[in-house]
Amino acid sequence: MSASTNTDGLPRWATLALLPAINLFAALVVSSLVILAIGQDPVSALAFMVKGAVGSGTGLSYTLYYATSLIFTGLAVAIANHAGLFNIGGEGQAYVGGLGTGLVCLALSGWPWYAVLPVAVLAGALFGAVWGLVPGYLQAYRGSHIVITTIMFNFLASALMVYLLGGPLIEHGQMAPESREFAESTFLPAVKEIAASLGYRTSTLPLNLSLVLALLCAAGVWFLIWHTRWGFQMRTVGANEAAARYAGINARTTIVVAMAISGALAGLVGINELQGVQHRITLNFQAGMGFTGIAVALMGRGHPVGIVLSSLLFGALYQGGAELSFEYNEISPRLVVVIQGVVILFSGALEHMFRPALVRLLKPKAAASAAGQRA
């Protein structure tokens, strides 16, 4: 079997690019039928979604802002998946990681943002890593299923934040469950400030420098998984844990480390959401990004490049969907969620639905091409 093909004979390029494109097209077809069923023109509605997501500087800024958080959580899910773990605790890990980032920003109120940023990154990653390490330890050493423990830790994270923001961290003299605002010097520079320094005037936009951090993390994950000894061990444990043990790999340690790295990546969501945009610790600031990151990782096939591209897609769905619900009174925000859910359905549960047909279509061509090369 060639390295450029999978075990079923489907070329790797088809698995990585063609199959996700077909799944996305099928999701758009089903979404069009849903829009048509409520009496709206699906072509104009979907076109408006695209325009709202990337048709203006403001729309593109929001799309990239949403994509930034999704890159973090998508990478987190992918790291765990490579080690054979299904980490659905990214929501809780992002929540607790944001707590670490927020505490640093509150404590270092007199520091400039460029001095606060590395400390905030370390704190967010550390808090998220601890929240991922514990389920990893329970899986590796106590046999507790990672899905169950990460679900439980999502609820624990929520309860912890409700307690902290309802008491110890709440701003004095107010009822809203949120901390006091960070010092302005700690704010992460946004596109507006960067553009103003270059002589351009823009409206207030949420996109900030955390996008650069997310892309650096994607490059780091690529290097870790495919160009380091630790990455090889993770992939080996994920492929066959028994064989990995036989080869001398400490599978338990690998599982714990993989979950810690996964939690650390999810914990960086707070850099974008809190230090970059909200400038205070709030309830539910992660807004489901941890769960959507699962679909992002699946659609991106666990590869950082695919995750970045699928994050852009889901960021566009978030922003385009919001614009669509504003423009069309008949299309409620709930219907936009349905459209997002259809995309998740086809990129997740039904991701291999078209695979057998693709194998039948492309396998003869691949065989003919290989025979031609041998001749």
Side-chain angles (χ1 to χ4, degrees), residues 39-373:
Q40 297 298 311
D41 180 10
V43 175
S44 61
L46 294 177
F48 191 85
M49 282 187 67
V50 174
K51 181 181 178 181
V54 298
S56 66
T58 300
L60 181 60
S61 174
Y62 274 93
T63 295
L64 293 175
Y65 156 66
Y66 294 129
T68 300
S69 294
L70 292 172
I71 290 172
F72 288 129
T73 56
L75 292 172
V77 174
I79 281 281
N81 281 353
H82 281 295
L85 305 167
F86 189 33
N87 177 21
I88 60 174
E91 190 80 355
Q93 292 150 17
Y95 214 175
V96 174
L99 172 64
T101 296
L103 291 176
V104 166
C105 292
L106 290 171
L108 305 181
S109 58
W111 291 30
W113 70 266
Y114 52 82
V116 174
L117 179 60
V119 184
V121 168
L122 289 174
L126 179 62
F127 276 54
V130 170
W131 216 250
L133 182 147
V134 176
Y137 173 84
L138 294 174
Q139 163 87 13
Y141 290 91
R142 292 293 180 264
S144 302
H145 200 287
I146 197 71
V147 171
I148 303 300
T149 53
T150 49
I151 289 175
M152 292 172 61
F153 269 66
N154 284 339
F155 285 100
L156 289 174
S158 178
L160 173 65
M161 294 298 285
V162 168
Y163 164 72
L164 291 176
L165 291 175
L169 293 180
I170 193 171
E171 184 177 3
H172 180 70
Q174 72 167 13
M175 295 296 292
E178 57 189 29
S179 73
R180 61 178 172 85
E181 188 177 50
F182 305 154
E184 188 174 353
S185 63
T186 67
F187 292 2
L188 205 59
V191 169
K192 179 181 179 181
E193 286 79 18
I194 297 173
S197 66
L198 298 175
Y200 297 97
R201 293 184 178 180
T202 62
S203 58
T204 301
L205 302 174
L207 181 62
N208 55 74
L209 281 183
S210 60
L211 175 61
V212 177
L213 177 62
L215 296 176
L216 289 175
C217 286
V221 168
W222 170 80
F223 183 80
L224 172 68
I225 293 298
W226 282 280
H227 294 277
T228 67
R229 180 178 178 181
W230 268 108
F232 175 76
Q233 291 179 355
M234 287 182 192
R235 288 184 287 121
T236 304
V237 171
N240 192 321
E241 185 175 338
R245 294 179 190 275
Y246 185 78
I249 296 174
N250 190 328
R252 288 180 171 178
T253 300
T254 301
I255 289 172
V256 174
V257 170
M259 282 300 298
I261 296 174
S262 178
L265 287 166
L268 296 179
V269 168
I271 300 295
N272 182 38
E273 297 291 343
L274 301 185
Q275 189 180 7
V277 177
Q278 301 186 34
H279 305 140
R280 64 177 74 233
I281 307 174
T282 63
L283 284 179
N284 301 318
F285 66 84
Q286 76 283 22
M289 293 294 177
F291 294 123
T292 308
I294 298 172
V296 167
L298 291 173
M299 192 166 195
R301 295 298 186 268
H303 194 286
V305 174
I307 288 170
V308 170
L309 294 176
S310 57
S311 295
L312 291 172
L313 169 64
F314 279 92
L317 287 174
Y318 272 91
Q319 171 59 17
E323 293 289 339
L324 184 65
S325 63
F326 283 129
E327 179 69 16
Y328 289 79
N329 295 329
E330 297 80 2
I331 298 180
S332 69
R334 294 180 180 179
L335 183 60
V336 174
V337 174
V338 170
I339 295 174
Q340 295 171 353
V342 170
V343 175
I344 293 173
L345 177 67
F346 277 91
S347 63
L350 302 178
E351 64 172 328
H352 296 299
M353 184 171 69
F354 300 104
R355 190 181 189 94
L358 272 181
V359 170
R360 290 193 299 269
L361 179 65
L362 298 179
K363 193 172 182 179
K365 295 182 180 180
S369 176
Q373 291 176 359

